[in-house]
Amino acid sequence: MKDQMMKKNKKSSKKGFLFLGLVIVGFALITILVPEKSPLILQTSFDYFKQMAMVFPAVLILMGLFTVWVSKEFVMTHLGESSGIKGIAVAFFLGAIPTGPIFIAFPMAQALHKKGASYTNIVIFLSAWACIKIPQELMELQFMGAKFMLARLGMTTVFITLMGIIINKLMNTEKEIEVKI
Amino acid sequence: MKTVILINGLVIISLIISFSKDKMKTKKSIMIALKTLGKIAPSILSVIMLIGIMYGLFADKIALFFGQENGVIGFVSIALFGSVLHIPALLAFPLAGSFLQEGASISSVTAFITTLTMIGIVTLPLEIKTMGKKFAIYRNLISFAIALIIAALMGVIL
């Protein structure tokens, strides 16, 4: 069993490297075909890398601490299936506090999932992270105006919650089917 | 920058508290962090590289899309464009604001912003790796539908 899991892990990390290789080949092709685009691509990638490198190690350690110290019961009562409206509020709050780019959120979502957070709350957490981050809303207020920002914020909040509930249903029915088989 | 200091400060304090309470547990949590890093590092590097490529190739073509805005097809293609593109949201708003001033409709600007932030074709490999294929596909597909609904409603309300 453990052997099988190790094999699976190795296989999936090979896939990761394969993908990285493909992207690098793609970049090399672009550099050959449209060399004038290459500096902007490198600059943007580098900016992103810097931005990420400054917070990512901290986020990973926080995740490690979270995995070791926070009990499954705690996550389940606050973000689990029966956490209700309070769980939704916690998920929105965790997503909206300013923390960094979206790809940091995925490993965090995985950690929450392993500890028993419901799919509803994970979807809300990820979506809130993606589109109602507090600094982002301030930019929206400044450039799009208060009416636009408030209307979009209100609708996004409602629809994100609905989506969370729908995805939770979809994921859980599939689990039931798998169990029956 | 403030965010960076805040997060790193918070983590250092947490580490110190954790270490003073239980050395073994702290060691274990650092091991977990390193293991996770090893697992997702290639995906993250590819995502960063892809973002650079997308931005480099398409950033100056966004305005073109809004120029040809016509009917449902134009609207959906703007939404699709927002899904594929990945630029920092903080840069997206000044851009979207300028399109609005140049006469783009509220619906298409909303569709662009919402798909840009909620849907990540570029980050999909990472999402699949951490949350599984089913979850990632559901979330992105439903997000796309929601983005279109929100955009249409915004056009009606404002």
Side-chain angles (χ1 to χ4, degrees):
Chain A
M1 184 69 190
K2 214 180 170 188
D3 245 31
Q4 231 172 2
M5 269 176 63
M6 292 259 289
K7 252 186 206 161
K8 211 180 161 194
N9 267 341
K10 261 196 188 149
K11 214 175 161 189
S12 75
S13 89
K14 244 189 207 160
K15 251 191 204 162
F17 280 112
L18 192 74
F19 188 67
L20 180 60
L22 276 178
V23 174
I24 291 172
V25 169
F27 172 69
L29 279 177
I30 291 167
T31 311
I32 295 166
L33 294 173
V34 268
E36 71 274 13
K37 295 278 187 196
S38 166
L40 181 61
I41 293 174
L42 278 181
Q43 184 62 42
T44 313
S45 301
F46 186 66
D47 282 350
Y48 248 97
F49 183 77
K50 252 192 337 203
Q51 200 191 352
M52 211 208 56
M54 283 190 292
V55 286
F56 201 52
V59 170
L60 282 177
I61 290 176
L62 205 61
M63 229 185 62
L65 288 172
F66 170 84
T67 310
V68 171
W69 285 104
V70 180
S71 73
K72 210 169 173 164
E73 289 70 35
F74 184 85
V75 176
M76 277 175 95
T77 36
H78 290 89
L79 284 166
E81 292 291 345
S82 52
S83 59
I85 290 179
K86 221 183 84 196
I88 290 173
V90 173
F92 265 113
F93 173 76
L94 285 178
I97 45 176
T99 23
I102 181 78
F103 31 92
I104 287 174
F106 291 123
M108 287 174 95
Q110 187 183 25
L112 284 173
H113 176 57
K114 278 187 183 154
K115 289 275 179 184
S118 71
Y119 282 112
T120 308
N121 292 330
I122 288 172
V123 169
I124 291 172
F125 166 74
L126 284 174
S127 309
W129 188 304
C131 65
I132 51 178
K133 276 236 163 303
I134 292 156
Q136 199 172 311
E137 286 308 305
L138 293 177
M139 287 295 276
E140 186 167 358
L141 179 66
Q142 191 182 343
F143 285 96
M144 312 300 286
K147 235 165 94 185
F148 185 96
M149 177 263 201
L150 285 175
R152 208 179 71 92
L153 178 64
M155 276 192 273
T156 316
T157 311
V158 172
F159 280 107
I160 284 175
T161 312
L162 273 177
M163 169 163 69
I165 294 166
I166 292 170
I167 290 183
N168 198 38
K169 283 249 163 72
L170 286 171
M171 297 299 286
N172 288 339
T173 29
E174 273 175 27
K175 232 188 270 162
E176 272 164 35
I177 291 167
E178 267 167 36
V179 168
K180 269 181 198 160
I181 290 168
Chain B
M1 209 52 212
K2 265 186 201 156
T3 321
V4 173
I5 297 168
L6 191 80
I7 294 175
N8 283 287
L10 183 82
V11 169
I12 290 168
I13 293 168
S14 312
L15 259 184
I16 293 169
I17 295 172
S18 169
F19 195 76
S20 69
K21 279 199 167 167
D22 191 331
K23 276 182 197 169
M24 280 314 290
K25 271 191 170 180
T26 312
K27 240 186 210 168
K28 203 177 157 198
S29 58
I30 290 175
M31 283 309 292
I32 292 172
L34 284 175
K35 244 192 207 160
T36 315
L37 179 68
K39 261 192 231 158
I40 61 176
S43 304
I44 288 202
L45 287 176
S46 345
V47 167
I48 289 174
M49 203 72 208
L50 263 182
I51 291 172
I53 292 174
M54 291 282 168
Y55 188 73
L57 289 183
F58 301 117
D60 52 348
K61 298 198 177 51
I62 302 173
L64 217 81
F65 263 87
F66 281 91
Q68 299 171 329
E69 185 187 320
N70 45 9
V72 178
I73 297 169
F75 177 62
V76 172
S77 58
I78 284 172
L80 279 173
F81 191 56
S83 317
V84 175
L85 198 70
H86 189 113
I87 56 175
L90 295 182
L91 298 179
F93 285 115
L95 206 64
S98 70
F99 293 145
L100 207 55
Q101 272 170 1
E102 280 164 29
S105 72
I106 292 217
S107 296
S108 56
V109 172
T110 309
F112 179 67
I113 294 177
T114 311
T115 51
L116 189 68
T117 49
M118 267 171 87
I119 301 169
I121 302 290
V122 178
T123 48
L124 200 59
L126 188 64
E127 185 168 359
I128 290 174
K129 186 146 201 146
T130 49
M131 291 304 301
K133 209 179 269 173
K134 263 177 212 155
F135 179 90
I137 291 171
Y138 281 146
R139 197 190 69 82
N140 283 285
L141 279 182
I142 299 176
S143 292
F144 189 75
I146 284 177
L148 291 182
I149 297 171
I150 292 177
L153 286 176
M154 284 286 281
V156 175
I157 295 174
L158 295 182

